[in-house]
Amino acid sequence: MTNWPESIARKAVVAMLPYSARGGATDALHLDANENPYAPPPVVGATGFNRYPAQQPENLVRRLASIYGVNTDQIMVGRGADEGIECLIRAFCEAEQDSILTCPPTFGYYKTCADIQGAGIVEVPLSATYQWYISAVIEAGRPSDVKMVFLCSPNNPTGNSLTRDAILRVCSELPETLVIVDEAYIEFSDQESLADQIGTVPNLVVLRTLSKAFALAGVRGGALLADPRIIDLLIKVLPPYPIARPVEAAILNALAPSAMSVHAQRLAETLSERVRLAKGLEQSDFVETVFPSDANFLLLDVKNETALLKQLRKFNIKIRDYRSTTGHMRISIGSPEENTIALQAFGVIDIPQSIDRIGETFRKTNETDISVRVNLDDPSQTKIETGIGFYDHMLEQISKHGGFGLTMSCEGDLHIDAHHTVEDTALAFGAALKSALGDKAGIGRYGYVIPMDETQAQVAIDLSGRAAAVFKGEFPTDHVGDFPVEMCPHFFESLAQTLGAAIHVDVKGDNSHHMIEACFKGVGRALRPAFAVSGSEIPSTKGTL
Ligand SMILES: *Cc1c(COP(=O)(O)O)cnc(C)c1O
């Protein structure tokens, strides 16, 4: 095993030199790649289009390595997890000689890639209840021409997972064989990723994708995590420059640190929708069984199929038909609204409720990078990080007293001052609230509060659709902590602007901290009845707000 993994790779791949792709553009005068010296017309968010990108763009490698918790030499980035599968089979499977092992029913692309390469397929099917026969996998994986075992966990399309112990047992029983764990859906599962075992278990390869949990299917981005010696072999067969510059920019943007809390909230929503959709589908006359799922889809044993297909056509809904391989159908978890439509199509009368009013805003300028998500119906979803402690505390007051959830991250130019951070987060906050309110059917529209404690803050709000802010009050100091008091009226002005509301605040007192706190609490209190839903009417004689 001294020269493993070369010993199990294709001889031609071990012998060949990598294609001499240039390692990305530098400060040098580049007259080495027959590029055009002029930039093409600009595209927002990316530069350097006239230059070839690096084979493995450094910033992208660093960001994904940090998200997945591996070193930068333990990762290969490519056009989706799919490209990792392609490179593995291309680098290790000799045509007409070597094989891969799969456990069907599973993801179809393993077989497609093997077929393209002329590699064989050894199948160890799952049991009738979709469990893996681990001892059989190990037995069938022993011959030296079986180069790799594909374990998809959570498995597509069955939705269930292998245990960590089972996977590690396969790795240790087949020490010279590559054990590929496809974790395309791991973010939706309670199981931990095996990424933490890269570096300890040399024959373990983990596939991750940005297409599912990170919503980037159209961008094509994924990663393969493995021992650096495996990575080196794979990069030899990776086509030149797989990551286009606009793709790198789009991924870095979508995975910016400020966006991560919104990804986490969306994930939580998908998990709660998975429960709701499963509960609803269990009542459907078209569904015999809903299989348990660790992923963002449900496998269904269906009945009355002709009528079901007719319903789906009527509602113009596509689900995946696996009746030829598993006898079942697979439905992806959509947004709450989409899932409700799906439940209607399945004829569910008593649809479990959960349609939360949610609004998201992403706002990026040279001064601030902000993501905001509000949930008007779930106050438990609150996490605020603007970099200004006092301001975070004030925003918490608004959400707590307003009875809604607020997730906000901002990376702002605080080295200059608090101005841009407060102004831009207020604008983004107002826009997120406005989008969460939707057509405003059934809301209260007006809110009003009265004095509090020794400080008096009177607040009146009208969600009229028209922006107006009136602020009356004199603060005795010019700062509270890092927070300039002049930003208090400015916050309400910016909020009113994007929320489309009239916000009137009148504050009296002799302590700036208390006065500002009273304003934020008061606005929260006034928003609560304004946001509250009763009935479905739009509260205006005009019929629109
Ligand atoms: C979707 C999927 C992939 C492909 O991911 P990409 O990154 O989009 O190529 C890989 N494996 C499984 C099991 C999948 O379901």
Side-chain angles (χ1 to χ4, degrees), residues 94-111:
E94 215 68 80
E96 315 300 332
Q97 181 182 318
D98 296 331
S99 303
I100 66 165
L101 188 155
T102 67
C103 301
T106 191
F107 187 51
Y109 198 54
Y110 314 137
K111 176 170 160 43

Side-chain angles (χ1 to χ4, degrees), residues 227-305:
D227 183 288
R229 293 169 296 173
I230 297 172
I231 299 288
D232 285 348
L233 284 164
L234 297 179
I235 286 180
K236 278 188 171 187
V237 301
L238 181 67
Y241 317 117
I243 308 292
R245 288 185 191 270
V247 167
E248 184 193 12
I251 297 173
L252 289 174
N253 201 34
L255 302 184
S258 70
M260 297 315 270
S261 54
V262 168
H263 288 299
Q265 295 291 358
R266 286 180 173 182
L267 203 59
E269 176 188 285
T270 301
L271 299 189
S272 80
E273 282 296 295
R274 185 170 72 196
V275 174
R276 183 173 78 99
L277 190 61
K279 250 195 232 158
L281 287 171
E282 269 160 14
Q283 306 165 31
S284 167
D285 288 341
F286 298 116
V287 176
E288 190 70 55
T289 315
V290 180
F291 289 86
S293 171
D294 295 331
N296 65 341
F297 56 80
L298 296 169
L299 191 70
L300 309 175
D301 188 359
V302 294
K303 53 187 176 181
N304 307 329
E305 294 163 41

Side-chain angles (χ1 to χ4, degrees), residues 157-457:
T158 59
N160 57 329
S161 307
L162 273 158
T163 65
R164 205 176 161 83
D165 284 351
I167 294 168
L168 292 174
R169 187 175 146 220
V170 178
C171 294
S172 76
E173 298 268 348
L174 301 174
E176 299 205 28
T177 310
L178 299 181
V179 178
I180 323 299
V181 185
D182 187 340
E183 295 189 337
Y185 300 98
I186 192 75
E187 289 90 349
F188 304 100
S189 156
D190 287 341
Q191 302 254 356
E192 262 180 72
S193 167
L194 278 136
D196 65 348
Q197 296 297 304
I198 304 290
T200 311
V201 181
N203 58 333
L204 172 68
V205 177
V206 173
L207 297 172
R208 301 291 297 260
T209 177
L210 305 179
S211 303
K212 313 283 161 60
F214 288 113
L216 288 167
V219 173
R220 305 305 295 130
L224 179 148
L225 318 177
D227 183 288
R229 293 169 296 173
I230 297 172
I231 299 288
D232 285 348
L233 284 164
L234 297 179
I235 286 180
K236 278 188 171 187
V237 301
L238 181 67
Y241 317 117
I243 308 292
R245 288 185 191 270
V247 167
E248 184 193 12
I251 297 173
L252 289 174
N253 201 34
L255 302 184
S258 70
M260 297 315 270
S261 54
V262 168
H263 288 299
Q265 295 291 358
R266 286 180 173 182
L267 203 59
E269 176 188 285
T270 301
L271 299 189
S272 80
E273 282 296 295
R274 185 170 72 196
V275 174
R276 183 173 78 99
L277 190 61
K279 250 195 232 158
L281 287 171
E282 269 160 14
Q283 306 165 31
S284 167
D285 288 341
F286 298 116
V287 176
E288 190 70 55
T289 315
V290 180
F291 289 86
S293 171
D294 295 331
N296 65 341
F297 56 80
L298 296 169
L299 191 70
L300 309 175
D301 188 359
V302 294
K303 53 187 176 181
N304 307 329
E305 294 163 41
T306 316
L308 171 60
L309 292 174
K310 205 170 139 203
Q311 274 296 99
L312 292 171
R313 259 196 312 276
K314 183 172 139 201
F315 280 77
N316 196 18
I317 296 174
K318 290 201 188 321
I319 69 174
R320 194 69 170 254
D321 193 344
Y322 282 107
R323 282 176 300 166
S324 61
T325 54
T326 64
H328 303 320
M329 293 200 192
R330 190 191 70 189
I331 183 167
S332 306
I333 319 278
S335 68
E337 293 79 359
E338 291 170 344
N339 298 333
T340 294
I341 295 170
L343 287 170
Q344 286 163 353
F346 272 82
V348 178
I349 313 283
D350 196 6
I351 295 180
Q353 272 302 311
S354 100
I355 304 199
D356 290 354
R357 290 171 298 166
I358 290 166
E360 292 180 355
T361 313
F362 301 93
R363 192 175 192 281
K364 189 174 178 160
T365 64
N366 289 337
E367 286 139 5
T368 54
D369 186 350
I370 296 167
S371 67
V372 180
R373 179 179 165 105
V374 296
N375 185 334
L376 300 189
D377 301 297
D378 185 356
S380 70
Q381 297 186 3
T382 291
K383 188 167 181 226
I384 300 159
E385 286 166 335
T386 65
I388 309 167
F390 177 75
Y391 182 48
D392 288 355
H393 182 49
M394 291 306 104
L395 290 167
E396 252 169 61
Q397 300 300 326
I398 282 208
S399 83
K400 186 164 189 316
H401 291 271
F404 57 86
L406 169 62
T407 306
M408 178 187 287
S409 308
C410 175
E411 311 240 318
D413 56 354
L414 294 176
H415 56 283
I416 298 174
D417 64 18
H419 191 100
H420 295 135
T421 293
V422 175
E423 177 177 283
D424 294 356
T425 50
L427 291 169
F429 181 30
L433 287 172
K434 184 167 185 207
S435 108
L437 283 167
D439 67 1
K440 301 188 187 172
I443 66 162
R445 173 173 177 178
Y446 297 105
Y448 179 69
V449 281
I450 42 172
M452 292 190 305
D453 302 337
E454 84 294 343
T455 302
Q456 289 202 345

